Structure formats: structure tokens, C-alpha cells
Amino acid sequence: MFWVGMYVKNEYYLSLVIYILFNAINASCLNVLLGYAGIISLGQAAFFGIGAYSSGILTATYGINPYLTIIIGVILSAVIALIIGYPALKLHGHYLAMATLGFGMIVYICFNEMDFLTGGPSGLTGIPDMSFFGFLLDDEYKFFVFMGAVYMLFLFLMEMFDKSFLSYKLRFIHESENASSSYGIDVAKTKLTTFVVVACITSINGSLFAFYSNFVSPVSFSFHYSVEMLVMAVFGGLGSITGGTIGAAILTSIPEIFAEIEDFEVVIYGVILAVTILFLDGGIAKLCRRLAGKYVKSE
Amino acid sequence: MQFLYSGITSGSIYALIAIGFNIIYNTTGIINFAQGEFVMLGGMFIYSLLYMMNVPFIFAFPVALFGAFVLGVLFERVFIRYVKVKTELNLITITIAGSIILRGLAMLIWGRDTLLVESFIPAKTIQLYEGTITSDSVLVIGVSLFISFFLTIFFKKTKYGKAFRACYEDKIAASVCGINVRMVVMFSFGIAAFLGAVAGVAVSPITYVTYNDGVMSGLKGFSAAVMGGLGSFWGGIFGGIILGVSEAFFASVFPSGYKDAMAFLIILLILFFRPQGILGRKKATRV
């Protein structure tokens, strides 16, 4: 995505690429939970929102340094993730899905109702731009370069994670919790750590989103967005690093490129999700790998 | 007392939805995330039959329910049966996919506006002890009591009801005894959709219908089901009424916008501290 953006001069398409990067990070984060650890979370939009709102409120209303607000957002998200994750991660499957969904809804309702803080349904305006080592990130191009760098850093971390002992531990837990605990893995602690770290990264992403759009409203953090993340992660391919990015790139650009299908967007999301589960086990990433494998073999 | 009455009204709706969850859970072990969408569709069907096609209510009601039943069966046939790798994750995702599709289609067909449905019976207010209750509410409570009574008898006494219960206990054993498990699973989705539609029709004059209603009603029905203990019908009714009443009381203390948050707070607390439900005895899976 980064290289695509380098050649794009049109601001509209540039902003599309930036949105893809935001979505790619979110979807990859969900991918870590879902694809590696098998934790189904339908409330990830809440952490994105907590990051965005804590940065938004603290800078717009109280004029605090943007970097400080990102850190405050991270701390807040970590604490909330700990409180929610500690009891929730003991649950499995449907129960966990519903618990995280319920959590996401509570946060969404709070964003809507606490209008003395969040501006209510009409949103929070006047969030200033962020500056990065003296460069004010005030237009699409500058922010794109910054976001591209953040994304690269994120990819690097993901790659490290994919090769790390932790990711194997998570896959083992995903396979069988009983077996892994009998091998001396602290299942609850590993899952909780992953959940909290993922929440923190999502929260940072949310803060950056607030500084980019200079405006946040509850709509961006609704249940619908959590589901969108899920569709991106599943469609792109669970358990692979590229999965989240592929899913985000395709699913973010489809509705933007074909503007006239706006009304069908929701249905298309559903159909894509269903088709992926029914026929494309492993998503696009695995499909590509399989096709590539076939090609190599036939040579 | 007024809160109690309105709480019981909304509670009996949640109870109906909860029973729908329970039926599917009892035969397949799946939580159907699209259950709320059938509630919405019930309301939509009755709206289109009454106001777009001008069908009298006596015919429109069964037609709407039958439509939902067929859709429920189709839902199972199209989505659930073809899941090759039946992991919990895949099943959850596929029902979410189904619910998105139903919601999106509803938005395309009926639009984004709130549709008004008039009361099915002449509006009267009944004076009760320290409060009033409308005829609509009485209808809602009556219908849900009737349905749950009828279902209990169906599952306890009839041959088909026993087949449903057998499938829950052990699918393989049930099929050895000559029960068509696939059929039972299909019908359980149909009946659940039917129940959802009953709830949707009953509630439509009170809350009206929007394409987006499904999420909320589905979640509240689920929390009612969990509260009473997943899989138990009377538990579902009990959970629904408790949820409805506590919501009504909560709304009287805090700003009403937070009312929905209350339902989710209850789900979380129940899931964290007593996942088997207040009435449930079955051991829920916890590590």
C-alpha cells in the first residue's frame, strides 16, 4: 500500500489509502486474536474508539499535548482491556463473542450518551493536527508519509510476532487449551497479555485516526465497524500477516470505487463473509498461496 | 408499579426471542446471531402485508409468520449446512454473515425510515394497581405466555418434540433411532424464526419497525436466554421478564439513553459470574 500511495497525487485517493492503512492495522490486530489465539472479539471497535476519543477530548477540550494523549489513551485501553479481558477470556466461543459484543455496545452507547464529554451523536470537532518532530501533519500527503511509516513499523512488529515464541504458544493454545496448560503454558495469562497488547495497538491507531480526521463521532466505532474488521480479517485470511492488509485493501476500496453500489454495501459485506467461510477456508491469503503452490509445482 | 408493567411487556418480548435462541441451541449447540433479524423481519412482513398489499390482519398474521418460518429453514439450508469445517468460530461467523445479509436486504427493500404500524386491536388503557397498561401490552404478554406454554407441551408431550430433545442429547444416537437429524435442525431454525417473527409482529405497534432493529433485539434476547440459563424455556421467560423489569427501573433512575447499556451490563455480569444462568444447572464450559 505504501508504494501505491507514493505515486498517487489525487487527495481523494490518498485519503482512501490512509483509511486502508488504518483498517489494515485494525484488521491485523483482530487477526492476531482470531487467527492465532482463537479469541473471537466483536468489540474491537470500542478500543479504537477509546483511543480516538481520549485523544480527541484531551486535545480539543483541554489542549493537552497530542503525544501525551496517545499515551493516556493507551493506558486507559489497557486498564479497560484488563478489566474486561480477565473474566471474559475464561469464556469460550459463543459466550465470549456475546460478551465482547456486549462490551462494544456499552462503550458505543457511552460515546453516544455522554455528550458533555464526547459531543454525543453529532460528534466531537476541533481536534488539532499532530506534529511529528516539528513537521505539522496538516495535509493528506504529509499524513500519508507518516502513516506509511507507522504501518511499516507495525508490519515489522507483526513479522517479529509471527516468528516469535509467543505466536507458536498462541497457536498451541488455539489447538488445545488443555494440552498447552499441561505443557506448562499459563493459558489465561498468555491470552490476557495478547488481548491487552492488541487493545493498546488498536487504541494508538484510534488516536492517530482522531488526529487525521480532526473529527470523531460514535458512528465510526459502532458494532458495524467491529463486524467490518471481522470481515476484513476473515476475508483476507486468518492466521497470516498479510491477511488483514489484503482484506482491508479490498473491502475498503470496493465501496469507494463503485460509489453507486452504496446501498448494497452491507449485503456485499455479508455475502463476502459467507462465501469466505463456506468456500474459501483461510481467505484470500491462503488462496494466493495455494495458487502459487500449484503454479510452482506444475513448472 | 408502572415500571413493573412496562417492564413485563418488554420482558415478554425478550422472552420470546430468548426461546428462539434456546430452540436452536438445544438442537444444534449454535447461537444464532441472526435471531434478532427475524424479529425485525416479522415486523417488516406484517407492515408490507397490512399497508402495501392491504391484507386483513387475520390473514396477514399467519402469512407473515409462515414467511419467517420459510426464511428460517432457508437460512439453515443455505448457510449452516454448507459449513465444511464446523468449528465454533466458523459457525459464529456464518450466522453473523447471515444477519448482515438479512439486514442489508431489509434496508434495500424497505428503506431506512421507521415504518409505523397501527395497533391490531382497539387501543384501550386498563387501570391496574397504581398504574396503567395498554391493550397492546396485554396482547404481547398474552401471546408470549401462550407460545411458551404451547412449546413446553410440544417438547414434553409430542413425538416430534421428543425427537428435538433427542437430537440435543446425542445426534448420532438420535439418528440411529430413526430420527432425521437434518430435518430437525432445519425445523428448529424455522421455529426459531417463527418465534422471532411472532415477537416482531407483536411489538411492531409499540416500537414500530426499522431495518436496524435486529441487533438490539437479538442481543437482548440472548441476554435473557443466558440469564435464565441457555437451553431452558422457562429460564428464557424468567430471564426476559427480569431483564425487562430491571431495564424499566434503570430507565427511571438514569437518563433513558443508557437503558440499552443496562442490558449489556447484565449480560457481562451474568457471563462473568454465572455463565450457566440464574436458573441453569448445566455446567457451562469454563476453563
Side-chain angles (χ1 to χ4, degrees):
Chain A
M1 275 345 285
F2 188 73
W3 305 116
V4 175
M6 293 293 273
Y7 298 103
V8 177
K9 290 286 174 281
N10 183 321
E11 293 225 328
Y12 171 70
Y13 288 113
L14 205 54
S15 74
L16 181 61
V17 176
I18 295 174
Y19 278 116
I20 290 176
L21 292 178
F22 279 123
N23 283 336
I25 294 179
N26 280 338
S28 305
C29 279
L30 188 63
N31 199 343
V32 170
L33 290 181
L34 215 59
Y36 289 84
I39 300 169
I40 180 157
S41 170
L42 295 177
Q44 285 308 109
F47 293 113
F48 192 54
I50 289 169
Y53 267 106
S54 42
S55 282
I57 293 166
L58 291 175
T59 49
T61 318
Y62 301 100
I64 296 171
N65 180 308
Y67 287 99
L68 200 62
T69 66
I70 294 181
I71 294 167
I72 294 172
V74 166
I75 293 170
L76 196 64
S77 291
V79 171
I80 292 174
L82 262 178
I83 295 172
I84 289 295
Y86 181 70
L89 292 173
K90 287 177 184 162
L91 302 163
H92 286 270
H94 301 112
Y95 288 94
L96 177 60
M98 281 292 187
T100 50
L101 178 50
F103 161 69
M105 288 302 247
I106 291 177
V107 173
Y108 173 67
I109 291 169
C110 288
F111 287 154
N112 255 322
E113 295 299 323
M114 296 164 75
D115 41 8
F116 57 96
L117 264 183
T118 62
S122 49
L124 184 74
T125 49
I127 302 166
D129 285 311
M130 204 172 82
S131 63
F132 186 66
F133 290 119
F135 287 103
L136 191 64
L137 303 170
D138 56 354
D139 69 9
E140 304 285 330
Y141 194 75
K142 287 175 192 162
F143 200 91
F144 163 70
V145 173
F146 170 72
M147 199 56 207
V150 170
Y151 176 69
M152 286 297 179
L153 179 71
F154 175 74
L155 264 195
F156 176 68
L157 285 174
M158 278 290 286
E159 191 71 47
M160 295 252 288
F161 163 77
D162 188 59
K163 303 285 177 287
S164 71
F165 180 56
L166 178 68
S167 87
Y168 288 97
K169 221 155 79 172
L170 287 176
R171 283 180 196 157
F172 192 19
I173 291 173
H174 189 17
E175 285 299 318
S176 165
E177 294 206 348
N178 293 337
S180 39
S181 67
S182 70
Y183 271 89
I185 295 173
D186 190 341
V187 174
K189 197 176 148 195
T190 318
K191 277 165 108 178
L192 189 61
T193 318
T194 317
F195 188 71
V196 171
V197 171
V198 163
C200 290
I201 296 175
T202 313
S203 161
I204 296 176
N205 203 22
S207 298
L208 296 180
F209 174 75
F211 292 124
Y212 168 64
S213 56
N214 304 117
F215 168 76
V216 284
S217 75
V219 184
S220 324
F221 316 111
S222 62
F223 170 57
H224 186 72
Y225 186 63
S226 288
V227 171
E228 260 176 47
M229 279 193 222
L230 179 79
V231 181
M232 285 169 195
V234 171
F235 178 59
L238 289 180
S240 70
I241 306 177
T242 43
T245 310
I246 298 174
I250 296 175
L251 287 167
T252 315
S253 37
I254 284 178
E256 300 292 331
I257 293 170
F258 306 102
E260 65 269 31
I261 58 157
E262 195 201 345
D263 283 343
F264 291 89
E265 192 191 327
V266 186
V267 183
I268 289 174
Y269 268 76
V271 171
I272 286 178
L273 188 59
V275 168
T276 315
I277 295 286
L278 295 178
F279 307 111
L280 273 179
D281 191 32
I284 294 286
K286 197 170 173 191
L287 183 75
C288 292
R289 230 177 294 147
R290 225 184 298 156
L291 288 179
K294 235 181 227 166
Y295 184 68
V296 171
K297 255 177 243 163
S298 63
E299 277 295 284
Chain B
M1 286 311 274
Q2 187 59 50
F3 302 124
L4 190 67
Y5 299 140
S6 54
I8 289 176
T9 309
S10 52
S12 44
I13 289 297
Y14 302 151
L16 272 183
I17 307 168
I19 294 174
F21 272 110
N22 281 334
I23 288 178
I24 293 180
Y25 183 79
N26 273 351
T27 49
T28 60
I30 298 173
I31 300 291
N32 182 12
F33 277 75
Q35 186 62 29
E37 263 55 47
F38 288 110
V39 179
M40 176 270 291
L41 285 174
M44 289 296 187
F45 284 158
I46 203 83
Y47 174 83
S48 2
L49 286 167
L50 285 180
Y51 299 106
M52 292 173 168
M53 300 174 197
N54 292 317
V55 181
F57 181 72
I58 306 177
F59 297 111
F61 185 60
V63 171
L65 299 189
F66 183 71
F69 180 81
V70 172
L71 258 183
V73 170
L74 272 179
F75 184 82
E76 196 274 340
R77 202 68 190 74
V78 175
F79 294 121
I80 311 292
R81 187 165 301 175
Y82 291 116
V83 180
K84 269 177 274 169
V85 197
K86 281 202 169 30
T87 57
E88 223 170 15
L89 185 66
N90 279 355
L91 288 171
I92 292 172
T93 330
I94 200 78
T95 57
I96 291 178
S99 79
I100 304 174
I101 293 174
L102 289 178
R103 199 181 318 143
L105 288 177
M107 194 189 84
L108 287 176
I109 297 171
W110 287 284
R112 291 165 191 265
D113 301 327
T114 303
L115 307 175
L116 305 181
V117 178
E118 279 168 32
S119 299
F120 307 128
I121 47 175
K124 271 194 198 117
T125 327
I126 299 156
Q127 192 70 38
L128 288 176
Y129 174 69
E130 279 188 22
T132 55
I133 192 164
T134 60
S135 49
D136 284 328
S137 310
V138 175
L139 185 74
V140 166
I141 297 169
V143 165
S144 48
L145 273 181
F146 173 74
I147 294 273
S148 32
F149 185 68
F150 175 75
L151 274 177
T152 314
I153 291 182
F154 175 76
F155 278 95
K156 287 252 162 77
K157 304 284 180 206
T158 66
K159 197 169 80 181
Y160 299 102
K162 281 174 186 159
F164 273 78
R165 285 196 294 152
C167 283
Y168 175 60
E169 292 298 333
D170 191 334
K171 282 207 178 83
I172 296 166
S175 63
V176 166
C177 295
I179 294 168
N180 189 342
V181 175
R182 285 190 151 190
M183 217 50 179
V184 167
V185 169
M186 219 160 84
F187 271 101
S188 64
F189 272 86
I191 294 176
F194 177 89
L195 283 176
V198 172
V201 171
V203 84
S204 57
I206 303 175
T207 60
Y208 308 130
V209 274
T210 327
Y211 79 99
N212 217 357
D213 287 341
V215 186
M216 270 308 173
S217 31
L219 275 168
K220 285 185 183 164
F222 175 80
S223 49
V226 169
M227 198 154 28
L230 259 183
S232 121
F233 290 141
W234 291 110
I237 296 170
F238 171 78
I241 289 176
I242 295 278
L243 182 68
V245 171
S246 46
E247 231 181 46
F249 276 104
F250 188 84
S252 67
V253 182
F254 292 95
S256 63
Y258 291 103
K259 192 187 80 180
D260 294 327
M262 168 73 187
F264 303 122
L265 207 63
I266 293 180
I267 313 188
L268 289 187
L269 292 178
I270 298 265
L271 284 176
F272 292 165
F273 296 110
R274 210 175 148 74
Q276 72 271 41
I278 295 173
L279 290 183
R281 284 169 304 250
K282 229 171 294 148
K283 209 174 153 282
T285 39
R286 281 190 81 156
V287 171

